[in-house]
Amino acid sequence: MFIHIQIIFYLLFFSLSTSFAQSESKAIVRAGKHPDYIRVVFTAPIDILNKSSVVLQSSGVIKIDLKSVKNLDVQPIGLLTENSTIEIMKGLKISSKDNLFFISYENIDDISVSKLSNPPRLVIDIYSFTKKSTEEPGKIAEIDKELKEPIVTQKIDTLLLDAGHGGDDKGLLGSSFSEKDLTLSFVKELSTLLNKGGKKVILTRRQDHLLTLKERNGVVKTKKYDLLISIHVSSRGDLLIYSLNKKLSHTGQSHEENAIDYKDKLLVFSEALGKELENVVTVKSVDIVPTMFLGIKRLGFLIELPNPNKFNYDRKNKERLISAIVKAVNSIE
């Protein structure tokens, strides 16, 4: 009798273990188009996503290693099997080979990767700087409508520094870093140097905690400051600068003669930064407006720091990056 019970127990245990292993190997992927980027979202068990890796290869193809996942449910199309390719949306293809997944899209210039835990998701935003937006004019008008009455100041006394990601949102992960930790430590040191130069600084977060996009936008829209700088980490070895503004006048109309050209501010800022960081890192300005801070009424930049896997963050280089940003801030006053 005891032997029979043992056999039944082992059979049940084996069955449950097999079911659990099978459930771990399942993953779902969806894709959607935004005005400035393509978003691809993988949903899978948290332990699989924690071990996953995403690399933008020199060929412009994104390689995704989901470890134990072999078959991918591409919604709403169907199952992606080994050595096959599915077009998720126009121009965006995902293929499988040797237990790895590959995403190809026309003119991939950069990606942003986030790992979220509630629910478990791997989020890849694909940027194509050279590809013109095909967004409908009506939708673009709606976005422009939200950007009204920018308050422009020549003197920059107060800065709002935003450390990207935080808490469960780890951002980009590498062999020896997480984006949420790097951005926070960088922003704190940048704040200290700005304070020494007589600037007032407000931080969106001072600790490792999650700020939802709504909460982050709430801080951006309610605090009083002259310049917003949001710090993130690039998947590449370059330093990238995005303007967070469109060209608008005080009445929100871009065609008036007194309209403020924020693109000029971006050019001055990036040139100053490039001069300070010559022979340290390549600085590039990006002529697109990220939609994460839609409706910002102050001058703002989003800076993607070079990836630590491709840039040496020793004490000297980190101090040069921080010092260069402070000097670039002074250059646009």
Side-chain angles (χ1 to χ4, degrees), residues 36-137:
D36 297 317
Y37 57 90
I38 300 292
R39 172 160 290 178
V40 181
V41 180
F42 291 84
T43 304
I46 188 67
D47 55 334
I48 289 178
L49 295 185
N50 283 340
K51 297 175 184 177
S52 65
S53 63
V54 179
V55 177
L56 177 58
Q57 299 177 314
S58 57
S59 60
V61 175
I62 304 168
K63 181 177 74 174
I64 304 107
D65 185 358
L66 293 179
K67 304 304 178 184
S68 61
V69 174
K70 294 183 179 180
N71 294 325
L72 193 64
D73 183 3
V74 182
Q75 295 192 351
I77 301 170
L79 196 65
L80 175 69
T81 55
E82 180 71 7
N83 297 319
S84 63
T85 300
I86 289 179
E87 188 172 40
I88 308 180
M89 54 189 295
K90 187 177 180 180
L92 184 71
K93 296 179 180 180
I94 184 165
S95 58
S96 172
K97 184 179 180 181
D98 300 329
N99 293 332
L100 296 171
F101 300 104
F102 299 88
I103 294 176
S104 59
Y105 184 65
E106 182 182 357
N107 299 323
I108 296 180
D109 290 296
D110 198 12
I111 61 173
S112 174
V113 181
S114 301
K115 292 183 179 180
L116 309 178
S117 61
N118 189 23
R121 286 161 294 159
L122 172 66
V123 180
I124 304 173
D125 289 338
I126 302 171
Y127 295 92
S128 180
F129 307 148
T130 55
K131 188 176 177 63
K132 293 183 179 180
S133 172
T134 56
E135 194 69 27
E136 296 175 12

Side-chain angles (χ1 to χ4, degrees), residues 5-19:
I5 293 173
Q6 275 191 316
I7 292 172
I8 293 172
F9 174 79
Y10 287 134
L11 286 172
L12 284 171
F13 179 79
F14 178 78
S15 176
L16 288 171
S17 299
T18 304
S19 298

Side-chain angles (χ1 to χ4, degrees), residues 120-301:
R121 286 161 294 159
L122 172 66
V123 180
I124 304 173
D125 289 338
I126 302 171
Y127 295 92
S128 180
F129 307 148
T130 55
K131 188 176 177 63
K132 293 183 179 180
S133 172
T134 56
E135 194 69 27
E136 296 175 12
K139 290 185 178 180
I140 293 176
E142 288 178 14
I143 294 173
D144 288 341
K145 190 177 180 181
E146 294 188 40
L147 297 169
K148 290 184 176 181
E149 299 180 0
I151 304 170
V152 182
T153 58
Q154 296 299 316
K155 182 70 175 173
I156 297 175
D157 293 318
T158 304
L159 291 93
L160 176 62
L161 300 184
D162 172 51
H165 306 279
D168 292 336
D169 180 5
K170 298 179 177 62
L172 201 63
L173 293 175
S175 57
S176 60
F177 80 97
S178 67
E179 184 173 2
K180 67 168 187 173
D181 295 330
L182 177 56
T183 58
L184 184 59
S185 66
F186 191 91
V187 157
K188 285 182 176 180
E189 291 189 46
L190 177 59
S191 173
T192 299
L193 193 57
L194 286 166
N195 285 150
K196 288 181 179 179
K199 305 292 186 186
K200 297 177 182 178
V201 178
I202 304 168
L203 302 183
T204 56
R205 67 180 181 99
R206 295 179 177 274
Q207 298 176 337
D208 179 22
H209 67 271
L210 177 65
L211 273 178
T212 65
L213 188 57
K214 184 177 180 180
E215 291 170 336
R216 206 177 292 267
N217 269 288
V219 175
V220 168
K221 291 181 180 180
T222 57
K223 295 294 183 181
K224 294 183 179 180
Y225 56 91
D226 305 308
L227 173 64
L228 162 65
I229 297 180
S230 182
I231 301 292
H232 288 258
V233 176
S234 173
S235 62
R236 306 193 305 187
D238 304 328
L239 186 149
L240 304 178
I241 310 170
Y242 304 76
S243 171
L244 293 173
N245 311 101
K246 290 181 179 290
K247 180 179 177 180
L248 293 171
S249 71
H250 289 281
T251 60
Q253 297 175 337
S254 60
H255 62 273
E256 294 188 3
E257 291 183 2
N258 65 338
I260 304 299
D261 194 344
Y262 287 113
K263 189 175 179 180
D264 288 345
K265 295 285 188 181
L266 173 65
L267 182 62
V268 172
F269 186 82
S270 60
E271 284 183 350
L273 205 53
K275 183 179 179 181
E276 291 296 326
L277 294 175
E278 189 175 3
N279 301 323
V280 178
V281 66
T282 301
V283 176
K284 295 181 179 179
S285 60
V286 183
D287 190 18
I288 64 172
V289 181
T291 57
M292 61 187 299
F293 294 123
L294 196 61
I296 178 176
K297 296 182 180 181
R298 299 292 194 279
L299 180 63
F301 301 117

